[in-house]
Amino acid sequence: ETTVRQEREPLEEVTRELMGIEVIDQIVPSGIPSPMMLLLMGDPGSAKRELCLEFAARTLARHRRVVYVALEESPEEIRASLSAIGVDLTRLEILRNLLVIDCYSPQIGMISKEEISADPNNLSELSIAVSKALPAGNKVQGIFVLDPLDTLILKRGLTSSLELIRTLRGKTKIAKFDFIATLNRQAFHTVILAAAQESVDGVFEMKVQEEPTGLMRYLRVPKLRGASHHTAWVGYDLHFKVLARTTPEKE
């Protein structure tokens, strides 16, 4: 049966809010603590990026800032994806509520058109770019998205990437930003996946499974500091509505 767990290690000075995403609010009924660092770890096709965009859209709707580090998609593609789910970008970018750090153009040898860009091969440069993008504040400011963490691990290795993650985690916490990173769970050994999970406050694990009715997507929360949460797999569609609940299972 589905259980509800309370992670023992508390978070300091947190606020809690429901996200307005049906499957997330069902799994974490008390609301996700903030500021928080979350790892969206899933299979290819499990819609990790789409869930990131859902988090971003709802943050922007609350008049908060989104800082999006673009590693595998161009800034134009990210903006197009946000527009496709109903986000009006014109006013948001005038207000600087959406800021894209372009790490995509330097990788393909193009000059970036963005206000802030960084070469992901140079982790110090990327860290400085993040500092420029994060405002100081004494209340919850928004979310910081790193999509995907895979790129950094493949380019710079696990140790250097996790050191950067710890640094960025500190910066986002000071700025009162939630930190969301994505990771392909099929691309790395279980030792690497375990190290990445150990470095964050919460893990949303996502998988794709072949069933008689077709492909099904499932999500669970194996770890979330400071909040009660259900641990069973929950089925969802690409609009992140709840489709079904399953019992806990072994991978």
Side-chain angles (χ1 to χ4, degrees):
E1 295 181 357
T2 299
T3 59
V4 179
R5 297 175 56 198
Q6 177 74 39
E7 296 291 345
R8 293 182 178 181
E9 187 178 0
L11 291 166
E12 298 178 359
E13 300 179 1
V14 300
T15 59
R16 299 176 188 276
E17 288 182 316
L18 294 174
M19 287 304 302
I21 303 173
E22 186 176 345
V23 65
I24 302 299
D25 291 345
Q26 179 171 332
I27 294 174
V28 191
S30 62
I32 298 175
S34 181
M36 164 77 67
M37 181 174 181
L38 295 174
L39 179 67
L40 306 185
M41 183 180 71
D43 299 335
S46 60
K48 299 183 296 297
R49 179 165 294 133
E50 287 80 357
L51 183 53
C52 275
L53 293 169
E54 290 284 346
F55 273 105
R58 282 161 174 73
T59 299
L60 292 168
R62 293 171 177 172
H63 308 291
R64 296 172 184 167
R65 175 174 285 194
V66 171
V67 177
Y68 203 112
V69 179
L71 286 156
E72 274 192 359
E73 287 192 325
S74 69
E76 291 78 13
E77 289 173 308
I78 291 168
R79 291 186 177 93
S81 296
L82 286 168
S83 295
I85 59 175
V87 177
D88 182 3
L89 297 177
T90 304
R91 182 171 178 272
L92 292 173
E93 297 208 78
I94 292 174
L95 296 174
R96 293 176 57 81
N97 281 0
L98 174 63
L99 188 59
V100 180
I101 300 177
D102 185 4
C103 294
Y104 176 82
S105 297
Q107 294 182 76
I108 61 173
M110 293 183 63
I111 298 175
S112 177
K113 299 178 182 179
E114 300 298 314
E115 176 184 342
I116 302 177
S117 64
D119 184 348
N121 287 296
N122 187 333
L123 298 185
S124 295
E125 180 180 309
L126 177 55
S127 181
I128 292 170
V130 171
S131 295
K132 292 179 180 178
L134 293 174
N138 55 10
K139 62 180 181 178
V140 176
Q141 297 289 304
I143 64 169
F144 173 80
V145 178
L146 180 68
D147 179 36
L149 179 56
D150 310 26
T151 301
L152 297 183
I153 295 175
L154 292 172
K155 286 181 176 294
R156 296 306 309 272
L158 178 64
T159 301
S160 295
S161 298
L162 292 185
E163 286 178 357
L164 174 67
I165 288 299
R166 284 189 283 270
T167 299
L168 298 184
R169 180 183 178 186
K171 291 183 179 185
T172 54
K173 184 176 181 180
I174 291 172
K176 304 296 184 182
F177 269 60
D178 292 319
F179 183 170
I180 298 176
T182 65
L183 183 67
N184 179 359
R185 73 172 189 166
Q186 291 188 3
F188 302 102
H189 190 276
T190 53
V191 173
I192 292 178
L193 298 180
Q197 293 179 74
E198 185 65 26
S199 301
V200 302
D201 299 312
V203 178
F204 285 13
E205 189 172 7
M206 307 167 75
K207 69 176 180 178
V208 179
Q209 185 168 298
E210 182 72 39
E211 297 187 357
T213 55
L215 288 178
M216 281 289 295
R217 295 174 175 85
Y218 292 95
L219 183 150
R220 70 173 180 177
V221 181
K223 172 184 178 181
L224 190 63
R225 287 179 56 208
S228 60
H229 57 280
H230 299 286
T231 58
W233 289 103
V234 175
Y236 63 92
D237 64 15
L238 285 177
H239 298 292
F240 295 98
K241 294 180 180 179
V242 176
L243 294 182
R245 180 180 295 281
T246 68
T247 56
E249 61 183 63
K250 294 183 179 179
E251 290 284 320

